[in-house]
Amino acid sequence: MSEQFEMIAKTFQGLEEILAEELTTLGANDIQIGRRMVSFTGDKRMMYKANFCLRTAIRILKPIKNFTAKDADEVYNQIQAIPWEEYLDVNKTFAIDAVVFSEEFRHSKFVSYKVKDAIVDYFREKTGKRPSVRINNPDVLLNVTDYLDALCRELASIAECSAEKHLNCIYIGGGTPTSLSARELERLLSFVDEHFDRSRLLEYTVEAGRPDSITREKLEVMKKHGVTRISVNPQTMQQKTLDLIGRKHTVEEIEEVFCLAREIGFDNINMDLIAGLPGEGPAEMQDTLEKVGRLSPDSLTVHSLAIKRAARMGQEEQKARMGTDIGEMIRMAEEAAGRMGLTPYYLYRQKNIAGNFENVGYAKVDKAGIYNILIMEEKQSILAAGAGASSKIVLKEPCPMPGSRKKKLTNLIRIENVKAIDAYIERIDEMIQRKGEWLWH
């Protein structure tokens, strides 16, 4: 008889009983219903059947070890007690992706660090060597987060509430979506395909972001799912600056990723630059613009450095000097954009920008970012999902502004999701309800 072992099928809240019935039909044993999951036992054949046949399962997990820990030391000791050579080779890379929320542990990253330390110390003590941590595309990914589960659930709710609306733009970004693995990206884009009608879509953007997070496999996933516009954001083409601001990519990698995207067939690629980065002046900006010009992006967004409240570099005299340099750099960028055949199509201003300048988007004919225009004009609803996402719902008739003591009227409702990932997952029902109250109107 084949070895039996425990497995966990993850699902959305409310589908647990249906999932349990599916597992019963497949012949799984010891079925137990939990919150957004169903545990069961079976052999390898059952594991493959569950992956291929279950309709209401998001993923199938095989637990390595279950334990209770009251503090960080107990987590460390329990993790170190696992025979890791059975799961991970010292020459392989790994990553920890934990999402927790309990009275004992309120910070997911802290738990990830303790688990990572325990695994590294385990191998170092036994072999004198240690496996490397690799955030993007590790050989082994441990403790997969529930974030995508929550995100897909919120997307499903948006799809249901807005079924009679015509979707014209999809924008995945405001961060670095390519931090997801290719498999996770495939799952997300497949979910979008299944739940939204794209027949009237004018633009489908993925803000790929950091070049070090972009791979051929991820680009091919995006192309397969009909993504029409991507961003490759170098910020600067000066290696010394990239090193100084803590970016992990090189100038050569920026150029390689851009050319790879062209090879795969992307004909609408945006690049982001920042004027006024530490140690840079007009000479560095000129060199950056020349290198970007040789790549010939379809659009270019030039940001003026915003001095954050917590890191002011914040003396007014320095801010004024930076503003003078940034003004020249912005002028140079405008001229360079013209030489590339790009014209300005949108601008916006942030708080604390040195010199009080704007962020300006330039684009070739028919390559302007439609989403960028729509979010600035605020003339149609934009429904956002995910941690920190901000929705803007345009009403047909004005109504009293929520929270306004004077009952000021507005036809634009802003709805913010919580930013912390663990809080987003824990409060996903609340995030969905916030939008639903307005989307059902």
Side-chain angles (χ1 to χ4, degrees):
M1 184 175 177
S2 299
E3 178 188 0
Q4 301 280 307
F5 51 87
E6 182 188 5
M7 288 170 275
I8 295 174
K10 301 287 290 182
T11 190
F12 295 120
Q13 188 171 350
L15 296 180
E16 295 92 340
E17 291 186 2
I18 299 174
L19 176 55
E21 291 176 4
E22 285 192 82
L23 284 165
T24 300
T25 302
L26 285 183
N29 301 317
D30 303 319
I31 298 170
Q32 298 289 330
I33 296 176
R35 184 169 180 262
R36 296 200 303 240
M37 53 80 73
V38 178
S39 65
F40 62 101
T41 59
D43 57 13
K44 281 189 176 181
R45 184 176 180 181
M46 174 55 64
M47 181 175 67
Y48 289 123
K49 284 175 67 177
N51 273 285
F52 282 107
C53 299
L54 293 177
R55 296 173 301 161
T56 55
I58 299 168
R59 66 166 68 93
I60 308 300
L61 304 177
K62 182 182 177 183
I64 293 176
K65 182 177 181 179
N66 297 317
F67 62 88
T68 300
K70 296 181 180 179
D71 56 40
D73 289 337
E74 285 191 24
V75 171
Y76 181 94
N77 293 334
Q78 292 279 6
I79 294 296
Q80 268 225 319
I82 297 172
W84 284 106
E85 62 272 9
E86 295 180 11
Y87 307 100
L88 178 64
D89 188 288
V90 72
N91 296 313
K92 299 290 186 179
T93 60
F94 76 100
I96 307 295
D97 197 358
V99 174
V100 298
F101 191 80
S102 66
E103 290 300 318
E104 292 80 16
F105 305 103
R106 293 187 177 273
H107 299 287
S108 298
K109 285 188 177 180
F110 175 73
V111 173
S112 295
Y113 292 146
K114 295 303 293 186
V115 174
K116 181 266 294 181
D117 289 344
I119 295 173
V120 167
D121 291 347
Y122 176 95
F123 280 99
R124 186 178 283 139
E125 291 169 9
K126 286 185 172 290
T127 68
K129 299 179 181 180
R130 54 158 289 177
S132 297
V133 174
R134 184 180 181 184
I135 302 301
N136 296 309
N137 296 322
D139 295 314
V140 177
L141 179 61
L142 300 167
N143 220 12
V144 177
T145 178
D146 285 337
Y147 177 71
L148 277 183
D149 297 355
L151 176 60
C152 288
R153 185 166 172 227
E154 186 179 15
L155 287 171
S157 174
I158 289 174
E160 180 183 0
C161 292
S162 58
E164 297 181 0
K165 303 291 185 181
H166 299 308
L167 181 65
N168 57 21
C169 284
I170 298 175
Y171 189 97
I172 301 178
T176 307
T178 43
S179 294
L180 296 174
S181 68
R183 182 179 298 179
E184 290 169 328
L185 191 61
E186 168 70 33
R187 177 188 164 200
L188 175 60
L189 300 188
S190 294
F191 192 90
V192 171
D193 290 347
E194 293 166 6
H195 288 78
F196 293 91
D197 179 5
R198 290 169 39 203
S199 61
R200 302 196 184 196
L201 207 62
L202 302 175
E203 178 183 275
Y204 193 165
T205 297
V206 173
E207 187 180 352
R210 298 194 322 269
D212 58 304
S213 71
I214 304 171
T215 65
R216 173 181 286 276
E217 189 178 6
K218 294 176 188 179
L219 289 170
E220 289 174 344
V221 168
M222 288 184 261
K223 192 66 178 175
K224 167 187 168 184
H225 287 278
V227 172
T228 59
R229 181 177 182 271
I230 65 171
S231 290
V232 178
N233 300 335
Q235 299 185 336
T236 178
M237 299 293 272
Q238 306 302 301
Q239 190 60 54
K240 63 177 183 180
T241 308
L242 292 173
D243 296 340
L244 179 64
I245 63 177
R247 294 296 178 261
K248 302 300 182 183
H249 61 267
T250 65
V251 173
E252 291 74 21
E253 285 174 331
I254 297 167
E255 296 168 341
E256 289 170 3
V257 165
F258 188 96
C259 293
L260 178 60
R262 286 290 197 222
E263 176 191 328
I264 289 172
F266 287 98
D267 60 1
N268 193 352
I269 305 176
N270 174 74
M271 300 187 84
D272 277 13
L273 298 177
I274 299 178
L277 288 170
E280 289 199 7
E284 288 77 13
M285 187 62 161
Q286 182 63 39
D287 183 67
T288 288
L289 291 167
E290 289 175 359
K291 290 176 179 175
V292 168
R294 289 195 288 270
L295 294 173
S296 189
D298 304 285
S299 59
L300 178 69
T301 306
V302 181
H303 301 265
S304 301
L305 181 68
I307 303 173
K308 303 298 183 183
R309 183 180 303 171
R312 282 274 184 197
M313 296 153 93
Q315 317 305 331
E316 292 304 316
E317 181 179 346
Q318 184 178 12
K319 189 174 179 180
R321 180 185 59 77
M322 289 174 60
T324 302
D325 284 348
I326 291 176
E328 175 64 13
M329 295 161 82
I330 293 295
R331 184 193 63 77
M332 293 167 64
E334 181 181 6
E335 293 179 354
R339 292 192 295 271
M340 297 180 214
L342 312 177
T343 55
Y345 73 96
Y346 90 112
L347 64 83
Y348 67 99
R349 181 172 290 152
Q350 291 175 273
K351 293 181 180 179
N352 301 319
I353 286 183
N356 201 32
F357 294 102
E358 300 91 2
N359 301 324
V360 184
Y362 302 88
K364 294 178 181 178
V365 176
D366 296 332
K367 297 297 174 70
I370 298 173
Y371 169 82
N372 291 334
I373 298 171
L374 294 176
I375 197 169
M376 293 301 159
E377 288 186 335
E378 297 184 337
K379 292 183 178 179
Q380 76 171 52
S381 295
I382 294 177
L383 305 180
S390 177
S391 295
K392 296 180 179 182
I393 299 178
V394 178
L395 305 176
K396 292 181 180 180
E397 300 292 337
C399 72
M401 182 181 295
S404 173
R405 293 181 179 178
K406 298 181 178 180
K407 301 299 181 182
K408 182 179 178 181
L409 296 180
T410 182
N411 67 342
L412 181 66
I413 302 298
R414 290 180 170 85
I415 304 170
E416 310 284 342
N417 282 357
V418 293
K419 293 183 179 180
I421 290 177
D422 50 4
Y424 171 76
I425 295 169
E426 186 70 17
R427 297 167 60 187
I428 187 60
D429 291 334
E430 178 189 342
M431 302 301 104
I432 291 172
Q433 185 179 6
R434 284 182 184 182
K435 276 189 280 291
E437 292 173 353
W438 294 100
L439 292 178
W440 288 113
H441 284 197

